[in-house]
Amino acid sequence: MPADLAVIGLGSLGLPLAQAAVAAGIPTVGYRTGPDHGSLSAAELRRMLSGGFRQPAGPAELGGGPPPVIGPPTSRCGLGGLDLGQVEAAARTLAERLRPHTTVILESPVHPGTTEEFLRPLLEEGSGLRAGRDFHLAYSPSRVDPGNRDFTPANTPKVIGGLTPACTESAATFYGRLTDKVVRARGPREAETVQLLETNYRHVNIALVNEMAALCHDLGVDLWDVIRCAETKPFGFQAFRPGPGVGGHAAAQDVTGPAGRGLRMVELAQQVNSRMPRYVVKRAATLLNEHGKSARGARVLLLGVTYKPDVADLQSSPAPEIAIRLRELGAAVSYHDPHMPSWSVLDRPVPRAEALYEAAADADLTILLQHHRTYDLQGLSVKAQLLLDTRGATPTGAAHRL
């Protein structure tokens, strides 16, 4: 069966896109570009294979006609920079096989201007073709939210910005097979900046409530009750909730413009959010002291070490730093996570608690870092000697909240 889509990069962005395409009945080829973070269960892989998904041994099929979507991960490097190594590798691989009239779409998180100034020259030099004339080129910010059962690729609007109006329409035709709504941006720079705004909006608002968490603790105010009341306002407010740190694949981006002007709010948000693991450890040590125990020698159980509920992904999770800092205080750290059968921090395995309730009863302190659906927090709050809830998920009065 000939493919109608080639996804280059099967990580946290490309793999969900490939899954959505197969579910929509689109035969898809997937090509790995490096150590991707995406993962599939055996059942999910069987469903994709039966739906027309293929992983070729080589890149020969990438330029055979189907629209290629480039979506390998990008990570932060330096001060606000992004590592585009996998994007470059994908572009060079594709360029050698690019044919006229192909539509190429980039979905990786990038700085504004990357599609035109970085990707376009690579494709043109490697193929001898010209973007906008011989092939279509567009950018579409990924809006993947792993584990979200309410918003899927099918009902999440897709933003598209093409190099030319024809590029935009060609990309829109393809995405129209995947989603209910396509939103046309003025161009690729605008579409790239949509991704920048959406990502930084999340980080800045999480930073605000993280600072509010520390302030409200000092004031003796229940922040979770404050948020519950504030979110009843039907305008001008969107509820965000604090936590032990900010994880995931979409790192905040502090982009410096031509005038040397960066995003000061984003820089500050990064500072605030990066301090949260230290704050959690400080709260943990204080709680132990208040109950006549020292952090040195204390048995501390971490519940949920992934970056997101019900997702087996550790990308940028705050859990490793929290474990490291607790160990530095002399605590004996163990963990439980239904999605992580094993876990190592700095190449040192962390003991896994097999019997959850017994482990919570045995630990001097249990810290909820991620609220997975399988956790019975009411039962855990009864069993645990001391419970610190960093997610505000336990019933009121059942635990010490962040």
Side-chain angles (χ1 to χ4, degrees):
M1 181 186 297
D4 288 348
L5 169 66
V7 178
I8 309 175
L10 295 177
S12 59
L13 307 179
L15 191 56
L17 173 64
Q19 286 181 284
V22 171
I26 300 174
T28 302
V29 168
Y31 184 73
R32 292 189 179 276
T33 58
D36 299 321
H37 295 289
S39 61
L40 286 176
S41 67
E44 288 173 324
L45 181 57
R46 283 195 299 270
R47 281 197 296 270
M48 288 187 68
L49 292 172
S50 65
F53 178 69
R54 301 196 315 279
Q55 282 188 262
E61 293 186 58
L62 296 182
V69 174
I70 301 174
T74 55
S75 57
R76 289 183 60 194
C77 63
L79 297 175
L82 288 174
D83 181 358
L84 298 176
Q86 287 200 51
V87 174
E88 179 178 358
R92 292 189 184 281
T93 299
L94 174 62
E96 295 176 1
R97 298 158 182 85
L98 192 60
R99 296 182 182 179
H101 312 299
T102 301
T103 300
V104 181
I105 306 165
L106 177 63
E107 282 204 3
S108 303
V110 295
H111 288 166
T114 301
T115 301
E116 294 174 86
E117 298 168 10
F118 181 81
L119 180 60
R120 178 181 182 177
L122 290 172
L123 295 174
E124 290 183 339
E125 291 168 10
S127 67
L129 303 176
R130 184 174 173 182
R133 184 190 69 185
D134 304 316
F135 67 94
H136 298 300
L137 181 61
Y139 181 83
S140 179
S142 177
R143 285 175 164 175
V144 172
D145 190 13
N148 192 326
R149 299 180 179 182
D150 296 323
F151 293 101
T152 65
N155 64 1
T156 300
K158 206 78 174 80
V159 173
I160 300 163
L163 191 64
T164 65
C167 292
T168 298
E169 291 310 311
S170 180
T173 299
F174 164 69
Y175 280 120
R177 301 174 64 184
L178 284 177
T179 182
D180 297 336
K181 184 175 182 180
V182 172
V183 180
R184 293 162 176 79
R186 181 166 293 180
R189 287 175 183 264
E190 284 76 14
E192 290 163 335
T193 309
V194 168
Q195 181 270 326
L196 181 74
L197 176 60
E198 291 176 353
T199 299
N200 287 336
Y201 177 86
R202 170 177 172 257
H203 281 266
V204 168
N205 280 280
I206 291 175
L208 173 61
V209 292
N210 279 338
E211 281 211 302
M212 287 289 294
L215 174 65
C216 287
H217 174 70
D218 293 341
L219 294 175
V221 171
D222 184 347
L223 172 63
W224 307 95
D225 190 58
V226 172
I227 295 172
R228 179 184 65 83
C229 295
E231 66 182 344
T232 62
K233 184 179 180 181
F235 53 88
F237 181 83
Q238 180 182 357
F240 284 78
R241 287 168 175 79
V246 180
H249 300 265
Q253 297 180 37
D254 183 12
V255 178
T256 301
R261 184 182 298 109
L263 297 171
R264 294 173 60 193
M265 289 288 290
V266 175
E267 181 182 358
L268 181 58
Q270 290 173 329
Q271 294 173 8
V272 171
N273 292 331
S274 66
R275 288 199 300 261
M276 289 309 292
R278 280 173 281 173
Y279 179 70
V280 170
V281 173
K282 178 183 174 182
R283 286 286 307 277
T286 301
L287 275 174
L288 286 166
N289 288 336
E290 289 174 350
H291 289 77
K293 298 178 180 179
S294 169
R296 180 168 298 278
R299 293 161 298 185
V300 180
L301 173 64
L302 303 180
L303 298 184
V305 297
T306 60
Y307 91 89
K308 201 172 190 291
D310 308 307
V311 172
D313 195 335
L314 289 167
Q315 179 71 13
S316 300
S317 167
E321 182 180 348
I322 291 171
I324 291 168
R325 292 183 178 277
L326 286 169
R327 282 174 172 175
E328 289 173 348
L329 293 179
V333 179
S334 61
Y335 87 101
H336 180 276
D337 192 307
H339 302 280
M340 299 301 299
S342 63
W343 183 44
S344 294
V345 176
L346 296 180
D347 297 323
R348 180 178 162 190
V350 181
R352 187 177 193 273
E354 300 299 335
L356 177 56
Y357 292 104
E358 288 81 349
D362 186 57
D364 297 300
L365 173 64
T366 299
I367 307 178
L368 177 69
L369 297 180
Q370 195 55 266
H371 180 204
H372 296 305
R373 287 190 183 94
T374 57
Y375 286 153
D376 172 14
L377 298 183
Q378 179 68 59
L380 282 167
S381 66
V382 172
K383 291 287 186 180
Q385 295 186 40
L386 196 57
L387 178 59
L388 173 59
D389 174 8
T390 70
R391 296 292 178 178
T394 51
T396 303
H400 297 271
R401 288 179 169 180
L402 189 65

